[in-house]
Amino acid sequence: MDKISPHRHNILHVCTTTIAMFDQQPKPDEDLMAAYQGGDVAAFRQLLQRHEKPIFRFCLRMVRSEEGAADATQEVFLRVVRGAGKWQRQAKWTTWLYSIAHNHCVDQIRRGKFRKPESLDAPIGDASQPRIETIAGSIPGGDAVAEAADLKRVIDIALEQLPEEQRAVFLLRTQSALSFEDIATAVGVPENTAKSRMRYALLALHKAADAAGLAPAKRSTRSTVLSRQPATD
């Protein structure tokens, strides 16, 4: 039997390593969904493991209730199972998934199933000061970490008060990192409408930050909090 030269052995080693690396690469969502359509239940488990937490976070921001978000997340994946046979590989699987999540959350919100958002003018506990004044007054000068945390609370409250269609686009863009094209498909509107809703959402959140009494010197932190979104398509 002929011996393999060191050079040839190195080439075989590189090829074997490269093939192993490709085998270890995560499968695209679309491949996993196609496998599930073919009866591979383990493929669905991978999809669930990969997307359950992001969908829960999206639902939580939409319905503003942990219990409601947990129920919504379960319903979303149940609908994925029920609709698996109808899914077609024409767009990203995540676009289809978030379309289901968006439609379900909007439906539940319109039924009035979840609590109303807190008001920035509502007092905190027994305090007589409105929430927005309490938050604004609690921002310590020169403490960037505390400032960012307080600003985040202001933005979170303002986000709850956005119209549902603006909140959905904002979350899909900043939290789920979908492109505007995919967002438009998910919520069923033209792409320019999705961009317009994002613009109005950002304006409203900036206005809330200004109303909280942020000094001009602190606007850099505000911009960081509000601009954590993917680059414009």
Side-chain angles (χ1 to χ4, degrees):
M1 182 176 180
D2 296 337
K3 292 183 179 180
I4 300 176
S5 67
H7 177 69
R8 186 178 177 187
H9 181 273
N10 288 337
I11 293 175
L12 290 173
H13 177 71
V14 170
C15 291
T16 303
T17 303
T18 302
I19 292 172
M21 289 176 61
F22 276 109
D23 288 341
Q24 294 174 1
Q25 290 293 322
K27 289 186 178 180
D29 294 329
E30 294 76 15
D31 288 354
L32 290 172
M33 188 61 186
Y36 177 56
Q37 285 181 318
D40 186 355
V41 178
F44 177 76
R45 292 197 186 99
Q46 290 186 56
L47 288 170
L48 181 62
Q49 184 178 20
R50 186 179 294 177
H51 295 285
E52 185 176 20
K53 288 183 179 179
I55 287 294
F56 174 80
R57 289 194 295 268
F58 173 76
C59 292
L60 179 60
R61 288 286 197 166
M62 287 294 293
V63 305
R64 306 181 296 279
S65 161
E66 287 195 9
E67 182 179 358
D71 290 343
T73 301
Q74 183 175 2
E75 179 61 26
V76 167
F77 284 99
L78 283 173
R79 293 187 181 189
V80 169
V81 171
R82 296 189 195 110
K86 298 179 181 178
W87 178 76
Q88 296 180 352
R89 197 168 185 158
Q90 296 175 343
K92 290 181 180 178
W93 185 79
T94 49
T95 303
W96 182 62
L97 176 66
Y98 278 99
S99 176
I100 294 173
H102 168 264
N103 291 339
H104 177 65
C105 288
V106 168
D107 181 57
Q108 296 303 301
I109 292 169
R110 290 176 179 174
R111 290 182 183 181
K113 190 173 180 179
F114 302 105
R115 68 176 176 84
K116 294 181 179 180
E118 297 176 272
S119 170
L120 286 171
D121 296 320
I124 300 177
D126 298 329
S128 58
Q129 275 188 309
R131 179 183 296 272
I132 192 169
E133 292 181 9
T134 303
I135 292 174
S138 67
I139 299 178
D143 190 339
V145 174
E147 174 194 341
D150 287 332
L151 177 56
K152 182 179 181 300
R153 284 193 287 272
V154 172
I155 298 305
D156 285 345
I157 295 170
L159 184 59
E160 290 188 354
Q161 295 181 333
L162 288 177
E164 63 190 39
E165 63 271 11
Q166 292 179 19
R167 185 166 68 251
V169 170
F170 180 85
L171 294 174
L172 290 171
R173 183 64 172 163
T174 61
Q175 181 174 290
S176 305
L178 267 64
S179 67
F180 280 114
E181 180 181 2
D182 289 338
I183 292 172
T185 301
V187 303
V189 298
E191 186 174 343
N192 284 339
T193 300
K195 290 180 178 180
S196 177
R197 290 178 180 179
M198 182 66 178
R199 182 170 61 254
Y200 282 120
L202 287 172
L203 287 172
L205 296 180
H206 276 290
K207 185 177 180 180
D210 286 334
L214 296 176
K218 298 178 180 178
R219 291 180 185 270
S220 59
T221 302
R222 181 190 69 180
S223 298
T224 300
V225 173
L226 293 181
S227 62
R228 287 174 180 169
Q229 55 177 303
T232 304
D233 295 328

